[in-house]
Amino acid sequence: MGVLRNCAAALALLALPGLAAAQCGGSFSAFKSGLKSDAVARGIPPATADRFLASVRQDPAVLKADRAQGVFQRPFIDFSRRLISQGRIDAGRAKARQFASVFDRIERSYGLDRNVLLAFWAFETDYGAFQGNFNTANALVTLAHDCRRPDLFRPQVFAAMELFARGAFDPARTTGAWAGEIGMVQMLPADILENGVDGDGDGAVRLKSSAPDALMSGGKMLQHFGWRAGEPWLQEVVMPAQMDWSVSGLSTVKSSADWQKLGVQARQGSLANLPASLILPQGHKGPAFLAYPNFNVYFEWNQSFTYVLTAAYFATRLGGAPVYDAGNPDQGLGPDQMKRLQQKLQARGYDVGKIDGILGSGTRAAVQAEQKRLGLPADAWPTPGLLGRL
């Protein structure tokens, strides 16, 4: 599953003195020549850059995949039910037993709960079974040339060149996801440079064929992103019948004591003594969760709210949490209705980002503000009624 990752290490590679901001578009051959010039300015030998770029071709299938991420338009209940099955849970627990010693090392070294990494392993490649067959060099250069997100992908090209120079990347044969991620837990080249670990002790980092390498590398990467050892990330909660729903959302953080005063209770056990945000993915009549500080680390792996919430929830399921209470959410909006809503919100001055039919953070914030203005439950869940009122 392609990611939209905030990769600080990759972006840092771009910020070298005397180099212009990322270029994009135009002749593909001229673009490759520009990549070579920038690579040489970064200290990559000209012959290395030439060998890397020699076989690179533009891949229209990559651009098609980049434009067709309709799965993220699905609401949380639908999305999570599609990704989570008993078979996937059973397979995850079997993998936990098979690689118990590796997960023990990850928990000791990086403080990462094994279920968090198991959930990513499941969603990214179905525990390594489907790692993608896109040529990685072609994918990265194609997306760097495309003008939608060149600042993300151009640095990844140079990171791949560095891996190539180290003998750890073959531009003609290395394959992975359409967005350039490689291996069982789908890491971008800059992440591999920063966090690649030889988990099986064979002297190489092989993320495609070695589960210990992939898992140890993923664990180190999450620690690098700021994972806090020994702390939870997500917990299902039971809500009171009435409250000020405008306090929901990731922008509001309260102590567990303050949430309890508002009537929020843990569905199982007790609330953690940590700051948390209340997440109502489908409004106040649907599932409810408290998101703790570690939840924010998920957005360094993927920027889709629905994917992140589903991955975090699946990790709790692998750890023994029950199936969430789906409740009875109000009817939501279809993709075309969501686009109309985004257009109306944008016309009112809200920054909702791209008009894409996806209920992202900008759209949620705008919906919540309009619900509050109109005297509706401000739970950030858009309904046909709200669309009509606008």
Side-chain angles (χ1 to χ4, degrees):
M1 183 174 295
V3 301
L4 307 177
R5 183 169 301 154
N6 287 319
C7 187
L11 296 179
L13 293 173
L14 187 63
L16 294 180
L19 294 176
Q23 303 296 313
C24 65
S27 160
F28 193 70
S29 60
F31 178 76
K32 287 171 61 175
S33 297
L35 283 176
K36 177 187 174 181
S37 297
D38 273 4
V40 172
R42 286 164 170 75
I44 295 174
T48 300
D50 281 335
R51 290 197 305 273
F52 180 92
L53 292 168
S55 63
V56 169
R57 302 288 183 269
Q58 195 170 21
D59 188 347
V62 168
L63 296 177
K64 183 178 180 181
D66 185 48
R67 304 299 192 263
Q69 297 192 71
V71 65
F72 294 116
Q73 294 177 335
R74 296 180 179 276
F76 168 71
I77 293 174
D78 186 7
F79 185 86
S80 62
R81 286 174 175 172
R82 286 170 64 90
L83 263 65
I84 298 171
S85 65
Q86 189 58 50
R88 214 166 219 179
I89 291 171
D90 293 342
R93 290 173 179 164
K95 292 292 185 184
R97 292 189 296 271
Q98 180 183 357
F99 295 102
S101 62
V102 176
F103 285 115
D104 288 342
R105 289 167 57 200
I106 290 169
E107 291 179 352
R108 287 195 305 269
S109 300
Y110 309 122
L112 190 75
D113 187 297
R114 64 194 63 202
N115 295 308
V116 171
L117 204 50
L118 280 164
F120 279 124
W121 194 12
F123 286 1
E124 294 294 335
T125 64
D126 210 9
Y127 305 110
F130 303 99
Q131 299 184 34
N133 57 7
F134 287 86
N135 176 282
T136 301
N138 289 350
L140 291 172
V141 177
T142 296
L143 291 167
H145 175 261
D146 183 46
C147 288
R148 194 164 87 83
R149 292 178 289 161
D151 288 333
L152 172 61
F153 289 103
R154 190 179 182 92
Q156 297 295 343
V157 175
F158 303 127
M161 284 187 189
E162 177 61 31
L163 289 172
F164 171 56
R166 298 180 185 184
F169 186 99
D170 184 339
R173 294 183 177 84
T174 298
T175 57
W178 64 263
E181 305 97 343
I182 301 166
M184 295 191 188
V185 295
Q186 300 283 271
M187 293 173 64
L188 289 165
D191 292 324
I192 298 170
L193 283 175
E194 184 83 15
N195 301 297
V197 177
D198 174 16
D200 58 18
D202 69 352
V205 178
R206 306 182 193 279
L207 303 186
K208 292 174 67 69
S209 58
S210 170
D213 288 6
L215 295 169
M216 292 288 291
S217 299
K220 183 181 177 185
M221 183 170 71
L222 285 167
Q223 182 198 51
H224 175 77
F225 287 155
W227 191 268
R228 292 160 54 157
E231 293 187 5
W233 53 95
L234 189 76
Q235 183 175 23
E236 187 181 4
V237 291
V238 178
M239 304 300 300
Q242 298 292 330
M243 67 177 289
D244 177 7
W245 303 112
S246 69
V247 299
S248 64
L250 292 175
S251 61
T252 299
V253 179
K254 295 181 179 292
S255 69
S256 58
D258 285 339
W259 287 120
Q260 287 175 321
K261 289 176 184 176
L262 292 174
V264 177
Q265 299 177 340
R267 185 179 176 197
Q268 277 193 330
S270 57
L271 300 183
N273 186 23
L274 292 167
S277 297
L278 176 63
I279 296 180
L280 305 174
Q282 290 187 228
H284 66 288
K285 297 180 183 178
F289 303 91
L290 281 187
Y292 296 108
N294 274 337
F295 183 79
N296 295 317
V297 176
Y298 278 79
F299 289 102
E300 299 293 336
W301 190 296
N302 191 299
Q303 292 180 340
S304 163
F305 174 85
T306 302
Y307 177 93
V308 160
L309 180 57
T310 303
Y313 161 70
F314 184 45
T316 68
R317 284 291 307 282
L318 288 169
V323 177
Y324 59 74
D325 181 359
N328 187 26
D330 290 326
Q331 180 184 348
L333 303 180
D336 291 339
Q337 290 175 309
M338 191 70 75
K339 289 178 182 178
R340 290 203 300 274
L341 173 73
Q342 290 174 321
Q343 290 166 346
K344 290 187 176 187
L345 292 170
Q346 190 178 71
R348 289 177 173 270
Y350 293 103
D351 180 9
V352 298
K354 182 182 177 183
I355 306 298
D356 55 8
I358 297 173
L359 183 58
S361 58
T363 302
R364 283 182 178 274
V367 166
Q368 195 167 43
E370 284 299 292
Q371 288 172 326
K372 197 167 185 178
R373 181 182 69 83
L374 294 168
L376 301 171
D379 58 10
W381 177 242
T383 63
L386 174 65
L387 181 61
R389 293 282 294 272
L390 295 178

